[in-house]
Amino acid sequence: MHSGVRPERVVIKVGTTSLISAGAPDSAKLSALTDAVVQLRDDGRLPVLVASGAIALGTELLPPGGRPGGTARQLAAAVGQGMLFEAVRHSLEERGLTAAQILLTPVDITGPEHRDSARAVLESCLESGLVPVVNENDTVMVRNNDVLAALLAAALGAERLLLLTDVPALYEGDPRRDARARRIPEVAAMTPEVERLAGAAARGLGTGGMPAKLCAAWIATLAGVPTVIAGGDTENAVVRAVRGDDIGTLVHARVREKRPGLRRLWRALSAPPAARLRGGPDIRRLVADGAPLTAGARLPGAVPRRRPARRRRRTLRRPDRRPLAARHGQHPRRGTRPLRSRRRRHARRHALRQPHPAPARPRLPPPSVTGP
């Protein structure tokens, strides 16, 4: 590494299927990953690993009768997290590198309470020659590591975000079902049209899938970090993707003068868009036929249903709109105090505020006029 030049950060997110096989860490996949980490460090880059697979490992060890519905995945993460880190640590140790385990949540990176501390710890790990192995703290709440990796890449100002999955790239169709599905080598910018292609990839053992990868691509590219989606089984995929070879799908970063904050990006793009549509028989037929839906959409020849006219309600007005207690001579808020005593007190105060009138001059009798 050259002195005085900041080494480029590279965030590598490894999916569950790229590390786990048959419910256990795959030694061949781990060796290929750690060899790539060594090669990147030799090239002058500092990699940050975001490893998934704790839930898949822990699920195999939980007793069959001890899996409560609401916390089953959290318990599996608590059991499998140590196993996952130990496998990665041992593989890095064989190559002369020291791993540092860091458990984070998106709130730690985007919230004002911990974001500076979390970023300082990551920077200290990289400057000390350690290899950060980051994972979502799924024991608190199960989310997905794809979004966490995107937030990390944005917080560190990474050169590139690499998302390794069981699908070689983003395709125009499902490559498992359609052999003619074409790979999309580059995406100029994330759009809703690109996001519709997420349904082409099926879910595997992990908690994310292609929709989560595209959510991460939204966050990273809007924050100025190019993103590569590639297959974990592709030979030397990590090094080739970081060096800019034609592999997987490259999503270019958006160039903006003012970039949105991480907290805003996380709240807006951390999950795929979802909505609930309500409609009558015409809407159901349009959806079944694949027709576009617009406001007031109806089938050809359908007669619009008229809504019955709303009847106006008669409002009864009482002549005396004072509260009931006031009409009975009581104070409306202060119990049964008579209103007349309150009026007398107000009249007395009003009289005291008035200026005193000037005393009247005594009238003198008119002078009498007497003759000589």
Side-chain angles (χ1 to χ4, degrees):
M1 300 180 185
H2 301 285
S3 60
V5 179
R6 180 181 182 269
E8 294 292 344
R9 277 71 170 150
V10 178
V11 178
I12 306 168
K13 191 271 175 181
V14 190
T16 302
T17 55
S18 301
L19 286 179
I20 308 300
S21 296
D26 193 317
S27 58
K29 295 179 180 180
L30 278 173
S31 298
L33 176 63
T34 50
D35 287 340
V37 170
V38 173
Q39 194 167 354
L40 289 178
R41 291 179 65 89
D42 293 340
D43 292 346
R45 295 180 172 90
L46 298 180
V48 177
L49 295 180
V50 181
S52 298
I55 295 178
L57 291 175
T59 303
E60 299 295 329
L61 298 179
L62 285 180
R67 299 180 182 179
T71 59
R73 302 170 81 184
Q74 293 170 260
L75 290 177
V79 174
Q81 181 59 49
M83 300 172 56
L84 176 65
F85 175 72
E86 180 60 26
V88 178
R89 186 202 64 79
H90 180 70
S91 185
L92 289 172
E93 188 180 22
E94 291 179 346
R95 290 154 180 81
L97 298 176
T98 304
Q101 184 183 27
I102 301 177
L103 299 179
L104 295 173
T105 63
V107 180
D108 297 329
I109 304 175
T110 61
E113 296 85 1
H114 299 153
R115 65 185 176 197
D116 295 335
S117 176
R119 187 180 307 173
V121 169
L122 288 167
E123 292 288 352
S124 299
C125 284
L126 296 174
E127 294 173 0
S128 303
L130 305 176
V131 179
V133 180
V134 184
N135 197 355
E136 180 101 22
N137 194 0
D138 291 330
T139 307
V140 177
M141 178 177 289
V142 177
R143 299 181 182 91
N144 66 78
N145 281 325
D146 300 299
V147 172
L148 181 68
L151 294 173
L152 275 177
L156 295 175
E159 172 192 6
R160 187 156 295 193
L161 169 64
L162 176 58
L163 303 174
L164 295 180
T165 180
D166 56 346
V167 181
L170 186 63
Y171 286 81
E172 294 180 353
D174 190 347
R176 298 183 180 93
R177 301 177 181 177
D178 187 4
R180 297 174 298 178
R182 295 184 301 175
R183 177 178 70 95
I184 303 176
E186 291 188 29
V187 175
M190 284 297 301
T191 60
E193 289 74 17
V194 175
E195 200 167 15
R196 293 192 186 99
L197 300 175
R203 291 178 177 266
L205 296 174
T207 60
M210 189 57 70
K213 304 291 185 298
L214 294 183
C215 288
W218 271 108
I219 295 175
T221 54
L222 286 176
V225 180
T227 303
V228 178
I229 302 174
D233 297 334
T234 307
E235 184 179 359
N236 206 14
V238 175
V239 178
R240 291 170 59 191
V242 173
R243 290 178 178 176
D245 296 347
D246 186 13
I247 179 175
T249 299
L250 170 63
V251 184
H252 292 276
R254 291 197 178 188
V255 180
R256 288 188 172 185
E257 296 181 359
K258 185 177 180 181
R259 295 172 181 169
L262 286 183
R263 191 172 184 85
R264 182 179 179 185
L265 289 176
W266 172 58
R267 288 184 172 181
L269 303 169
S270 60
R276 181 176 296 178
L277 181 64
R278 294 184 179 180
D282 296 342
I283 299 298
R284 298 192 187 101
R285 295 176 188 175
L286 288 173
V287 172
D289 296 340
L293 297 180
T294 57
R298 293 189 300 271
L299 289 174
V303 179
R305 185 178 61 178
R306 295 184 178 181
R307 294 183 178 180
R310 298 180 61 181
R311 299 179 60 182
R312 296 183 61 182
R313 296 181 179 180
R314 296 180 59 186
T315 303
L316 299 179
R317 296 183 179 180
R318 61 174 185 261
D320 190 355
R321 301 185 61 86
R322 293 180 301 165
L324 185 63
R327 282 184 286 161
H328 286 275
Q330 299 177 356
H331 195 278
R333 293 184 182 179
R334 300 183 182 179
T336 59
R337 180 179 298 176
L339 282 180
R340 52 181 177 270
S341 62
R342 182 165 170 258
R343 289 170 183 166
R344 283 198 299 266
R345 183 173 64 256
H346 280 253
R348 190 181 305 112
R349 290 179 181 175
H350 181 73
L352 293 176
R353 292 194 189 102
Q354 297 295 330
H356 295 284
R361 294 183 179 181
R363 292 184 179 182
L364 298 176
S368 57
V369 178
T370 58

